Amino acid sequence: MKMRQRGTNRICNGTMQTLVLTLAACLLAIQGHVQAGERFDLLPRKVRWQTYPSDVRHVVIDRTGRPWFSAEGSATLNQVKSQVEASYKLKAPWVRGAQMHHSGGGLILHFDRAERIWLLPASTSKLLLGYDPHKTRWIERSVMPESKRGGYNERDPQSPALVFTETVYESSSGRLYFGDRIGVHVLSGDVWSYKHLYRRNIDEGRYASDIKSFNATMFTEDQRGRVYVWSRWGAYGWSGTLGYFVHDGQSWRQVTCDNDGRKLEQIAAIVPLAGGRTLVFPESGTARDVWKMPPPKDAARGVEDDVRQLGAAKFREREAAQSRLAQRGPHILPVLREILPSQADPEVVFRVRDLIQRLESKQSSETFVDGHAIHTGRYFGQDGAGHVLFWANVVVEPGGTAEVREKLWLVDDQGRISRAPLSLGDWHPGNSSTFVDSKGRAWIAQYRKGCVIWDGQQTIPVTDETQTNFHKILGEDGHGRVFITDGRTVAAVDPDRADDPRRSPGEPPQVDTASPE
């Protein structure tokens, strides 16, 4: 009888503790209290699945492995700053008044390698905030003034207000890229710059519909550290970039055609490959394997000099000139064809004709990627082995005429294409995300399908049939827990831990107080 009484007290005490924590959190929200203090309901718990309170809308992991929580609620700009400064001392940092846009607020965006936090305050989406804890200094960046918007008029009923979006990218060299509705703010060291992405759209009236709005920017980077920037067409009737932009840290280039001069204007995805190659997926049509970034308009100026060297007295000089011309790619074909009739030296004529033949052959092969014709391809994510996953509406494999429809495929950094395992056969791009954890496992989440772990051969369920709305993966903390969300509820999953069946119902699980490794 006494043992039953002790068990009953244990359950009651645990239930009361849970109620007290929940009521305390609600009271803070009702009172509008925004002073950051330790919230025990946000501390990591030793369970497989931890669901966070309903006011938690988003999670970003800092450089030490701590999750920072964006909590629902209003706060002034000064209150947000005070919370951030105080939260650096907490085990479970949280900020109210910096939550997801669709909840009426802003967002904690990113922690850079300098351990600065970047966020959008709920009070205004026209302001980007950054805080450096080492220098105890705040950084503020506003959207561009009207005089520098390149004709974008937010007073037009068809043009939404110019605000920062939720897109941010940090390059391998530490440059930070923040997107707004018409361009990208770049922070290199302590110097800001800005790139307008839609001047041609505005000047030429190139829109997807009557709505004069542009989709959020997307980023990727090649092995040389060049950052590629573009946005997609069609979503919500909004427009995207004409082609894509490449930033090498010093200058920007807009690329709207491939090596042969064929247009590349509406881009779905870009996958940088090794050796300067770029796999480009248009919104419609066949994927292109761009062997070399298309040159500027004046890049053909050296062609005539190299053609003259084809008639040099020394064999070594003739071979070097022909090699340089071949490396330029098919885009010089018009120049070679124009030069050929005026050449009198038989050696030059022979070599130019040989170059034209070789470049024309290469030109025709660029419609294929590793011999595959890929129609309407879409980027899906990456696996733990470094392969890019992409989905395609139709793929025709080398030497075949049969069409493989609506499947996932793999491409490595050399451009080699292979079929994804059958266990991933029915996964599609769209309202989904992927993530590779610290153990090299690939997590895949998709709306109406839930979340799984893919070990390279099979998928292992993370969610069950009642949790299929979890479609977005937020990151991994220092304890190895991966955060996922359905847009309303945030949960942390530890796939290597089983729930403790000995814990009494209603008893709060044990708090994991160890510091992240």
Side-chain angles (χ1 to χ4, degrees):
M1 189 67 180
K2 289 183 179 180
M3 290 182 65
R4 178 176 295 181
Q5 184 67 37
R6 283 197 299 269
T8 303
N9 289 339
R10 185 184 183 192
I11 295 173
C12 292
N13 290 338
T15 303
M16 286 299 296
Q17 186 177 348
T18 301
L19 287 173
V20 168
L21 291 174
T22 303
L23 289 173
C26 293
L27 183 59
L28 286 176
I30 293 172
Q31 293 177 342
H33 185 65
V34 293
Q35 182 63 41
E38 200 73 76
R39 283 182 55 171
F40 295 99
D41 55 351
L42 301 181
L43 292 175
R45 303 188 183 279
K46 294 182 177 180
V47 292
R48 175 181 172 84
W49 182 284
Q50 180 177 351
T51 302
Y52 286 91
S54 59
D55 67 324
V56 173
R57 293 299 187 184
H58 192 66
V59 174
V60 177
I61 312 300
D62 70 14
R63 294 286 169 160
T64 69
R66 284 185 308 174
W68 284 60
F69 299 89
S70 294
E72 191 172 18
S74 60
T76 66
L77 186 60
N78 288 333
Q79 287 173 331
V80 169
K81 290 182 175 180
S82 296
Q83 290 180 86
V84 169
E85 293 172 10
S87 289
Y88 272 91
K89 303 175 183 178
L90 302 180
K91 294 180 179 178
W94 61 280
V95 179
R96 192 180 303 282
Q99 74 272 8
M100 295 293 284
H101 274 164
H102 59 69
S103 302
L107 176 70
I108 296 177
L109 292 174
H110 181 66
F111 285 90
D112 63 26
R113 63 186 61 187
E115 299 184 3
R116 296 174 297 193
I117 183 175
W118 297 93
L119 67 157
L120 300 178
S123 55
T124 174
S125 294
K126 291 181 176 292
L127 182 66
L128 172 70
L129 286 180
Y131 179 67
D132 187 333
H134 301 294
K135 298 179 180 178
T136 61
R137 179 173 65 94
W138 280 94
I139 305 167
E140 296 187 4
R141 175 75 172 177
S142 298
V143 296
M144 298 305 290
E146 189 170 348
S147 61
K148 298 183 179 180
R149 295 180 185 177
Y152 185 83
N153 182 12
E154 63 182 348
R155 292 188 296 274
D156 187 325
Q158 298 299 325
S159 300
L162 178 57
V163 298
F164 282 97
T165 62
E166 299 171 5
T167 55
V168 58
Y169 182 80
E170 184 171 6
S171 72
S172 59
S173 62
R175 293 190 306 272
L176 294 169
Y177 297 77
F178 300 94
D180 67 21
R181 285 292 179 205
I182 60 172
V184 179
H185 302 252
V186 182
L187 180 60
S188 181
D190 293 323
V191 178
W192 285 98
S193 61
Y194 185 76
K195 179 61 180 177
H196 198 308
L197 301 178
Y198 303 100
R199 288 187 184 276
R200 281 190 57 187
N201 298 68
I202 296 171
D203 293 342
E204 300 173 13
R206 305 283 293 275
Y207 300 100
S209 68
D210 292 336
I211 303 173
K212 298 177 181 179
S213 186
F214 304 103
N215 285 300
T217 47
M218 306 176 76
F219 301 92
T220 189
E221 186 175 356
D222 65 18
Q223 295 177 350
R224 301 178 185 179
R226 299 179 299 195
V227 174
Y228 296 69
V229 185
W230 76 100
S231 65
R232 296 192 57 185
W233 286 72
Y236 314 111
W238 292 5
S239 305
T241 52
L242 292 172
Y244 58 92
F245 293 80
V246 183
H247 187 228
D248 62 7
Q250 300 295 326
S251 60
W252 288 86
R253 291 190 50 214
Q254 185 173 8
V255 179
T256 57
C257 62
D258 63 12
N259 298 346
D260 186 32
R262 293 173 295 183
K263 289 184 177 180
L264 284 172
E265 290 198 336
Q266 298 188 11
I267 307 299
I270 294 174
V271 179
L273 305 174
R277 296 164 60 190
T278 306
L279 179 57
V280 180
F281 293 103
E283 289 284 1
S284 61
T286 307
R288 313 278 183 85
D289 188 350
V290 180
W291 283 81
K292 189 174 183 180
M293 194 186 337
K297 293 181 179 179
D298 61 350
R301 285 186 300 182
V303 173
E304 292 185 5
D305 293 337
D306 280 333
V307 168
R308 281 193 292 270
Q309 286 295 311
L310 295 177
K314 295 182 178 179
F315 175 78
R316 181 180 300 175
E317 292 178 0
R318 298 196 298 271
E319 286 290 297
Q322 185 154 2
S323 177
R324 287 194 299 271
L325 288 167
Q327 290 175 1
R328 288 175 177 266
H331 72 277
I332 67 169
L333 279 169
V335 181
L336 294 177
R337 294 182 183 122
E338 183 178 346
I339 290 176
L340 181 60
S342 63
Q343 302 303 311
D345 186 334
E347 175 80 8
V348 174
V349 171
F350 173 81
R351 287 180 177 272
V352 170
R353 285 177 174 170
D354 179 64
L355 276 168
I356 290 174
Q357 183 177 3
R358 288 162 58 187
L359 292 175
E360 284 177 341
S361 175
K362 182 177 179 181
Q363 173 189 62
S364 63
S365 69
E366 284 182 344
T367 305
F368 299 90
V369 181
D370 191 30
H372 295 70
I374 303 169
H375 300 272
T376 317
R378 297 292 182 267
Y379 176 83
F380 188 81
Q382 290 187 311
D383 68 3
H387 299 101
V388 168
L389 285 162
F390 70 90
W391 178 93
N393 185 35
V394 175
V395 172
V396 180
E397 295 182 287
T401 57
E403 298 179 342
V404 182
R405 293 185 173 271
E406 298 187 346
K407 296 293 183 182
L408 278 178
W409 297 76
L410 300 172
V411 57
D412 64 15
D413 65 353
Q414 300 298 318
R416 293 184 289 257
I417 305 293
S418 60
R419 296 192 188 194
L422 292 176
S423 58
L424 292 178
D426 59 345
W427 289 79
H428 295 263
N431 204 354
S432 60
S433 65
T434 62
F435 176 78
V436 178
D437 66 19
S438 58
K439 295 186 177 180
R441 298 172 295 194
W443 293 59
I444 303 174
Q446 183 172 311
Y447 182 65
R448 298 290 177 86
K449 290 179 69 68
C451 183
V452 300
I453 297 174
W454 183 44
D455 63 6
Q457 295 297 326
Q458 62 180 341
T459 56
I460 304 167
V462 173
T463 56
D464 59 27
E465 63 276 4
T466 68
Q467 301 163 324
T468 57
N469 287 346
F470 282 90
H471 64 276
K472 188 171 183 180
I473 305 169
L474 304 177
E476 179 185 12
D477 70 8
H479 295 285
R481 305 179 314 150
V482 173
F483 290 77
I484 60 177
T485 182
D486 61 2
R488 296 183 177 181
T489 301
V490 173
V493 184
D494 185 345
D496 300 319
R497 187 190 297 274
D499 282 320
D500 187 355
R502 297 168 297 178
R503 181 166 53 85
S504 301
E507 179 185 2
Q510 187 176 359
V511 173
D512 192 345
T513 58
S515 299
E517 297 180 353

